[in-house]
Amino acid sequence: MRRRHCYSLLAQAAGLWGALALPAGAQSEMPLITVPLEALQWLMAVASVVLGALGSWGLNIVRGRLKFFIGDQRFDPWLRSLFGLLQGGVWFAALWLAAGNLKGLDPLRSQVALLLGGVADFLVGVWQVPVLTIDKTRFPLGTLLLLLVLAFAVFWASRLSAVVLKRFVLSRFNLTIGSQEAIATVCNYVISAVGYILLLQLAGIDLGSIAILLGVIGLGVGFALQNLARNFISGLVLLIERPVQVGDYIVIDNKDGVVESVNLRAATLRRFDGSRLIVPNTLLVDQQVLNWSTAENRARLSLEVLVRGSGDPEVVTETLLKIASEERRVLTNPVPEVIFRGWRELGMLFELWAWCGTPKEQLRIKSALYYKIDAELRERGVELAFLEYGQPWQMLPNGTTPMSMQQPNGRN
């Protein structure tokens, strides 16, 4: 209802402003309304300001809709800047029209017009200053600035098209998140390359004439940026072969995390402590990477339990299987198993094998299982063996924990 009311106000203000701004011939055909001239001028000025306010409000609505449609926070600063400029233009036009309807502001309006005309003449002169010559073609400063703006627009348009493609087209197909990301990234690069080539052709630059120059520059830059080139090639390999995809839970160099993005230079891992780990693409290609996100999407948990030699192996096995079956995050297929690893110096070593369907949660699941194992074995009178700080392996009496024992240097 509020939005409809605003639309109604916008239509009424536009109608009022149009009626007051009608030419004399059109006004003579309308019923004669005796309103003082000064009041009409003020009404037109107020109508111009109201139109400016409603136009700015409408641009805010459009920006919010675009923000929701895009769904990518990286575009928010640029949307704010773009619509801020548009809103500034709308307010300037509204105030300019309002000042034009108030005769008392004519001197000020004339001064502003002269100032703006001088600034425009200066900018036109600077715009036409030649600053670069390529293949006997002279490029003024304005053309170069326009090319930079268009190149910037192509860059963001390609990224926006990739976001729209991934969100509204690829999401409708039965594709994994990694496949959607790879297709969208390739489309982004293709659109960018085609756009930049078209820009150069529109500017009148012969690509053949600058090929040698680009080759020389590329050779020099290649020696200085070998690592960047390697990461670029590795990024293309990751996008094509897709051994690591967005959303995969991986471990590399004893650091784990979920792949958040795979770019041309590096990949970003979202770690469980809230940090972001930037991994160069060459490491993902050259080094060994443990990827837990397989097609089966499950992981085997291995929990070692060392008990005193006086314990009953059957009781220990039964207890471990009971605990695994009671944990709701442990899969029933494959069924949990207990492996009797044999006798050690301190007692008998058992290993519980259990499968979980969420590899990212395996540390939490193991922690929960260890808590239950410790409590259950103590309740059944099974004595555990622990390693005291600074001492070789030894057996502790039932009900005693390493934290309750005094360390060899006297500290508790």
Side-chain angles (χ1 to χ4, degrees):
M1 295 298 295
R2 181 181 177 185
R3 186 172 301 171
R4 292 181 180 178
H5 182 62
C6 292
Y7 290 154
S8 177
L9 287 178
L10 177 61
Q12 293 177 11
L16 176 61
W17 190 90
L20 295 175
L22 284 174
Q27 290 181 357
S28 61
E29 299 176 0
M30 298 180 61
L32 182 60
I33 303 176
T34 58
V35 180
L37 179 61
E38 184 177 356
L40 288 176
Q41 293 174 354
W42 277 103
L43 283 175
M44 293 181 66
V46 171
S48 300
V49 174
V50 171
L51 282 176
L54 292 177
S56 177
W57 171 80
L59 288 175
N60 269 332
I61 293 179
V62 173
R63 182 175 69 86
R65 294 293 179 87
L66 282 177
K67 179 181 177 181
F68 176 77
F69 177 78
I70 296 172
D72 194 334
Q73 296 181 354
R74 295 175 298 179
F75 292 90
D76 289 351
W78 303 107
L79 286 177
R80 285 196 298 267
S81 301
L82 175 61
F83 280 87
L85 291 175
L86 293 176
Q87 287 176 335
V90 168
W91 274 112
F92 178 80
L95 295 177
W96 186 260
L97 290 174
N101 291 307
L102 299 177
K103 300 302 181 182
L105 297 179
D106 284 346
L108 177 61
R109 194 166 182 266
S110 301
Q111 293 293 331
V112 174
L114 289 175
L115 177 61
L116 293 178
V119 173
D121 293 338
F122 174 76
L123 292 178
V124 169
V126 174
W127 188 274
Q128 296 176 353
V129 174
V131 294
L132 182 64
T133 302
I134 299 178
D135 194 22
K136 299 180 181 181
T137 303
R138 304 178 68 180
F139 293 92
L141 178 62
T143 302
L144 294 181
L145 292 177
L146 181 60
L147 286 176
L148 289 177
V149 171
L150 292 177
F152 186 76
V154 168
F155 172 76
W156 282 106
S158 61
R159 299 188 69 174
L160 178 60
S161 62
V163 171
V164 173
L165 176 66
K166 181 174 60 176
R167 184 176 180 184
F168 295 98
V169 179
L170 298 179
S171 60
R172 300 179 182 274
F173 297 93
N174 189 19
L175 298 174
T176 63
I177 298 179
S179 300
Q180 296 178 20
E181 191 73 24
I183 296 174
T185 303
V186 172
C187 292
N188 180 14
Y189 298 149
V190 170
I191 294 175
S192 298
V194 173
Y196 293 142
I197 292 175
L198 291 177
L199 279 182
L200 292 176
Q201 292 182 348
L202 289 175
I205 300 176
D206 186 7
L207 298 180
S209 62
I210 63 174
I212 299 177
L213 177 62
L214 292 178
V216 174
I217 295 176
L219 182 63
V221 172
F223 285 107
L225 302 176
Q226 292 184 9
N227 290 333
L228 184 61
R230 290 182 58 205
N231 287 322
F232 179 81
I233 300 300
S234 300
L236 293 179
V237 172
L238 292 175
L239 289 176
I240 295 174
E241 295 186 355
R242 293 184 298 159
V244 175
Q245 304 180 36
V246 174
D248 288 356
Y249 172 55
I250 66 173
V251 180
I252 179 172
D253 197 18
N254 294 326
K255 297 180 178 62
D256 62 340
V258 179
V259 179
E260 193 172 61
S261 63
V262 179
N263 300 314
L264 283 182
R265 189 189 65 83
T268 303
L269 299 185
R270 185 181 70 254
R271 307 200 68 193
F272 298 108
D273 57 0
S275 62
R276 298 294 189 273
L277 180 65
I278 309 300
V279 181
N281 290 331
T282 52
L283 297 182
L284 296 176
V285 174
D286 297 339
Q287 293 191 4
Q288 293 182 350
V289 179
L290 179 60
N291 192 342
W292 285 99
S293 300
T294 60
E296 298 177 348
N297 194 28
R298 62 185 184 183
R300 193 191 72 179
L301 309 178
S302 298
L303 295 85
E304 292 186 349
V305 179
L306 185 65
V307 301
R308 293 189 61 177
S310 59
D312 187 351
E314 295 293 336
V315 173
V316 175
T317 301
E318 179 186 350
T319 303
L320 295 180
L321 291 177
K322 175 178 177 293
I323 292 172
S325 62
E326 292 176 350
E327 173 59 44
R328 60 181 179 81
R329 290 173 293 182
V330 172
L331 300 178
T332 58
N333 186 23
V335 296
E337 295 183 69
V338 175
I339 307 299
F340 185 11
R341 300 287 298 275
W343 288 268
R344 299 295 185 266
E345 181 180 355
L346 300 178
M348 297 178 292
L349 179 61
F350 295 86
E351 185 172 356
L352 172 62
W353 289 356
W355 292 82
C356 68
T358 53
K360 292 182 288 187
E361 298 291 326
Q362 55 182 303
L363 292 180
R364 294 187 176 92
I365 299 175
K366 290 180 68 173
S367 176
L369 291 174
Y370 270 127
Y371 273 117
K372 295 179 181 179
I373 290 172
D374 181 76
E376 190 73 20
L377 290 181
R378 291 180 187 280
E379 183 179 348
R380 298 196 178 197
V382 178
E383 298 181 355
L384 302 174
F386 299 93
L387 178 63
E388 187 189 5
Y389 179 80
Q391 293 289 338
W393 280 98
Q394 60 181 355
M395 291 176 291
L396 304 181
N398 184 29
T400 305
T401 63
M403 298 298 296
S404 64
M405 298 189 62
Q406 188 177 14
Q407 296 178 355
N409 57 3
R411 295 179 297 173
N412 291 329

